[in-house]
Amino acid sequence: MAIAQRSFTGIRRMAQVAGAFFRIDWIDLTNYPLALAMRFLNAFVPIVTYLFVAQLVDGGGADVAFDYYTFVVIGIVAMGALAASLNSFGNAMLRLVEQGQLEMFLVEPVPWRSLPFAMMTMPGLMAVVLAVATLVASIPLGASYNFSAIPSAFVILMLGLVATLAIGIAGASVKVLSKRADPVLALYSIAASILSGAFYPVELLPDWLRALSWVIPHTYVMQALRRVLMPNGEVLPGPDTSFAIIALIAFCLVMYPIALWIFGRTLEYGRKIGALSGY
Amino acid sequence: MSEPIVAIEHLGKVYEPFSRGMRLLLRTSVKEPVVALDDVSLEVHPGQIMAVLGPNGAGKSTLFRVLTGLTTPTTGRATIMGLDATRDSAKVRRLIGFMPAENRTLLLRHSCRENLAFHGRLQGIPEAQLHDRIDETLETVGLYEARDRIGFALSSGMLARLMLARAILHEPTVLILDEPTSAVDPLGAFELISMIQRIATERNLAVLISSHRLDEVEMLNDHVVLLNRGRVVYSGHLSSMTAQARRPRIEIVAENESAAEKLSSTLSTIDGIDSLQVEGSSVFVATDLPIDGIVQTLNGYGDLIVSIGRTAPRLRDVLGEMLGSNSEAS
């Protein structure tokens, strides 16, 4: 009973902290309306570009058993949403350091390990909104989706965002100390753009690279999203959706304790050597 | 006397040069260990305002960083209401109201209310109480009328008051104020210090305040701890500090500035004068000599002199004397 009450209090407190960050992020977002409009516009550019690339693929005699345009739009949308989850926390931490606000946040009685989740509520929501808007915008351009699978797609996307946030937390930990360089996220982003199959099926990769592609959560997210959202997604090679979901959950269970441990240790180390301020 | 709210025992902090791995991430100019705090002990009681003084690099900010949990001590410990500032940092941070020196720690694109609401939520103030508490706090610091103005639209003095509001919103037991008036004009600084005094008295707070403005310290007229190179040079009431000054001072008010210069050059020829300072038409003499001896020396200059009398040592001189002798000793 006492444990349940403590958990409830903890969740309520976490929600209050997340709400605090959400509100200030919302004000920040709406303070710069043109920047917000440009974000949406930028998100739509690749789906127009790939409309023509798809014509080349589909009309060029390539042996493709599925609608390449829908395939690549899902890849672009997933890549964009996961990149937001991957980079937002590190960028937010760097911004706090440069604005001289990180220390002020650390003086507040908020458990440091809860900061990544609290600070990611608005970027996470924006990632989902942008993903939905991009998918909707691609429909008049010729993409077709299985609308009955939207709830499943939402679950998969959320799992993907949560899984990549774990990597983002580990990367942000390095950024807190290095202020600039972020080898974790830089290397992961390179790996994700080549191995995840955003623009082509991973089956095209050489065997040894394909094996590596199943180590990163991006690949599972794309695979599962395409299988549920594309009208004939089941024809795609690779593991089925339930396997991808289990893999993403397993990834979260393994990565979160590690990422939060690294983040906590980094802040403790920064506290000891006096490296939490300055840049 | 009441139990101390803040108790610091033999606190030491040494910043080591970065390790080789850390230097790969970020270069630093620190090549040798830097002793920021060395065996610092002090207590602050409820209702007491302790001014932390010292030149740049004396260790004031490091002391505040240890208390707020932003850095860890190398030796000794600091407790607040019996809680260890390092081990129980999360609980201690609820008891502290912290006002940093820089106003960029505020959300400058956000209104006064939004700034306080954000801080209040992080502090865990229930939503039902939050808005009333914000309005009351803004009234206390005289910003209620400006409650919906954003940070960029406020003057430096108003920003300082907003930072004070943020520090007291959650009703802390201890206020830690790091150079609160550094960006404020003298009149605004006077108002802010009066406000801090009033709040500390009304709420029985223990206050630690650092400042380079000695007129403010004199205005507070409470306890003082003087740090130099991380060590405590003096700790006690301000009045005892000025009484400890080694040399009494004599002020000679001359007719004009050139007369003051003339009197000063005459006095510089006699033995037993420790220092001579000319400020405008006044000459300040630090000496153990009786005042009669000075009057005799200036016997032929009566027409240049308006008055001669003993004067209380200025805080600036007392600090200079104390820091000077401390440097000599070390």
Side-chain angles (χ1 to χ4, degrees):
Chain A
M1 186 68 183
I3 295 171
Q5 197 164 7
R6 262 208 311 274
S7 305
F8 179 68
T9 310
I11 291 167
R12 209 171 49 182
R13 177 88 183 98
M14 182 70 210
Q16 189 185 27
V17 173
F21 277 99
F22 186 85
R23 284 166 206 251
I24 60 157
D25 283 346
W26 174 253
I27 294 167
D28 274 340
L29 200 67
T30 51
N31 259 327
Y32 304 97
L34 184 61
L36 182 61
M38 294 305 287
R39 271 182 77 177
F40 277 91
L41 192 64
N42 281 338
F44 298 152
V45 171
I47 62 167
V48 177
T49 309
Y50 274 88
L51 177 66
F52 302 106
V53 177
Q55 285 175 11
L56 197 69
V57 174
D58 293 334
D63 183 18
V64 180
F66 49 83
D67 167 17
Y68 177 72
Y69 184 59
T70 305
F71 174 94
V72 81
V73 168
I74 293 172
I76 290 165
V77 164
M79 201 70 182
L82 297 180
S85 180
L86 196 63
N87 297 312
S88 293
F89 182 56
N91 292 340
M93 289 295 280
L94 188 60
R95 202 170 55 241
L96 290 180
V97 170
E98 290 185 343
Q99 291 176 347
Q101 290 176 343
L102 178 64
E103 289 200 339
M104 201 56 224
F105 283 1
L106 298 180
V107 173
E108 306 282 5
V110 175
W112 292 358
R113 287 179 176 85
S114 70
L115 282 176
F117 306 102
M119 290 168 70
M120 279 306 294
T121 46
M122 178 56 80
L125 178 73
M126 273 304 291
V128 174
V129 170
L130 269 174
V132 172
T134 314
L135 288 176
V136 170
S138 69
I139 294 170
L141 299 176
S144 55
Y145 304 106
N146 178 9
F147 292 105
S148 63
I150 285 174
S152 317
F154 181 75
V155 170
I156 293 161
L157 186 62
M158 290 310 291
L159 274 174
L161 293 177
V162 173
T164 43
L165 175 61
I167 302 161
I169 294 168
S173 308
V174 181
K175 224 170 192 172
V176 166
L177 294 179
S178 74
K179 317 295 180 190
R180 289 278 188 277
D182 184 359
V184 176
L185 292 188
L187 291 174
Y188 183 85
S189 297
I190 293 168
S193 54
I194 296 171
L195 302 176
S196 65
F199 307 102
Y200 42 80
V202 290
E203 282 67 32
L204 293 180
L205 295 169
D207 288 348
W208 63 276
L209 266 184
R210 198 187 317 153
L212 281 177
S213 76
W214 295 108
V215 176
I216 59 173
H218 273 61
T219 315
Y220 294 95
V221 176
M222 304 224 184
Q223 179 77 19
L225 280 178
R226 284 170 179 148
R227 274 188 171 252
V228 298
L229 277 179
M230 287 177 72
N232 60 342
E234 66 282 356
V235 303
L236 292 169
D240 63 18
T241 307
S242 52
F243 180 83
I245 290 173
I246 290 167
L248 286 172
I249 292 170
F251 189 86
C252 291
L253 291 175
V254 173
M255 264 312 284
Y256 265 99
I258 297 171
L260 290 176
W261 182 81
I262 292 172
F263 184 62
R265 293 288 297 175
T266 306
L267 288 185
E268 284 299 332
Y269 182 64
R271 193 158 82 124
K272 187 179 159 199
I273 64 171
L276 292 183
S277 61
Y279 54 89
Chain B
M1 195 171 194
S2 58
E3 286 288 305
I5 290 187
V6 179
I8 294 169
E9 296 164 21
H10 307 293
L11 201 70
K13 174 68 184 178
V14 179
Y15 289 109
E16 298 287 347
F18 284 177
S19 64
R20 195 172 291 182
M22 187 57 208
R23 284 203 304 272
L24 192 68
L25 298 177
L26 184 66
R27 290 185 68 183
T28 169
S29 57
V30 178
K31 300 279 190 288
E32 301 289 330
V34 175
V35 180
L37 292 174
D38 184 6
D39 197 28
V40 171
S41 297
L42 59 93
E43 289 181 349
V44 192
H45 294 263
Q48 194 176 64
I49 300 180
M50 180 165 281
V52 183
L53 306 178
N56 293 327
K60 305 183 294 291
S61 293
T62 301
L63 178 66
F64 288 176
R65 291 168 67 82
V66 170
L67 289 172
T68 50
L70 288 172
T71 196
T72 52
T74 314
T75 54
R77 68 196 289 253
T79 59
I80 290 175
M81 302 276 284
L83 295 166
D84 191 292
T86 303
R87 212 181 41 238
D88 307 313
S89 178
K91 287 179 190 163
V92 164
R93 282 179 271 150
R94 273 189 201 285
L95 302 173
I96 288 177
F98 178 52
M99 179 172 169
E102 294 179 74
N103 59 28
R104 67 190 187 125
T105 57
L106 290 166
L107 304 164
L108 295 174
R109 289 282 317 172
H110 299 240
S111 71
C112 297
R113 267 185 170 164
E114 286 157 3
N115 266 281
L116 295 189
F118 176 64
H119 169 74
R121 289 188 180 106
L122 295 189
Q123 281 287 345
I125 298 172
E127 210 66 29
Q129 298 171 17
L130 186 61
H131 296 284
D132 287 346
R133 188 90 72 88
I134 289 170
D135 287 349
E136 280 165 27
T137 310
L138 287 171
E139 285 272 15
T140 305
V141 300
L143 281 180
Y144 185 74
E145 296 303 321
R147 60 194 179 278
D148 293 319
R149 280 164 69 177
I150 65 164
F152 282 122
L154 301 177
S155 67
S156 296
M158 292 165 101
L159 287 171
R161 279 186 278 151
L162 182 56
M163 288 202 289
L164 179 63
R166 182 176 62 182
I168 62 171
L169 178 73
H170 59 284
E171 297 178 344
T173 337
V174 181
L175 267 187
I176 296 177
L177 313 170
D178 192 3
E179 298 181 23
T181 58
S182 57
V184 186
D185 64 71
L187 195 61
F190 175 81
E191 284 174 5
L192 192 66
I193 292 292
S194 304
M195 201 176 276
I196 291 165
Q197 272 182 312
R198 178 170 49 82
I199 292 166
T201 308
E202 284 172 5
R203 302 187 182 192
N204 206 26
L205 299 175
V207 181
L208 278 152
I209 177 171
S210 72
S211 178
H212 288 297
R213 289 185 171 176
L214 299 180
D215 52 331
E216 289 170 7
V217 180
E218 285 176 312
M219 186 182 157
L220 287 168
N221 193 27
D222 205 320
H223 279 68
V224 169
V225 60
L226 176 61
L227 295 176
N228 192 26
R229 297 178 185 174
R231 294 187 72 90
V232 175
V233 177
Y234 174 83
S235 179
H237 200 275
L238 180 68
S239 54
S240 320
M241 186 185 190
T242 46
Q244 272 194 8
R246 282 186 305 187
R247 299 279 181 265
R249 280 159 43 94
I250 294 167
E251 182 181 6
I252 304 159
V253 181
E255 283 268 288
N256 50 43
E257 288 182 21
S258 65
E261 290 291 346
K262 200 167 189 177
L263 295 174
S264 172
S265 65
T266 305
L267 288 169
S268 66
T269 60
I270 62 170
D271 291 335
I273 302 280
D274 287 321
S275 75
L276 275 168
Q277 276 178 300
V278 179
E279 288 182 17
S281 59
S282 288
V283 183
F284 292 94
V285 186
T287 181
D288 281 335
L289 293 173
I291 199 162
D292 297 357
I294 301 291
V295 172
Q296 258 181 359
T297 306
L298 301 174
N299 204 11
Y301 300 94
D303 53 333
L304 300 181
I305 299 168
V306 175
S307 66
I308 298 182
R310 290 212 174 272
T311 175
R314 287 175 308 181
L315 188 52
R316 188 176 73 186
D317 299 325
V318 175
L319 289 180
E321 200 172 276
M322 285 183 149
L323 293 173
S325 62
N326 178 251
S327 300
E328 284 160 23
S330 61

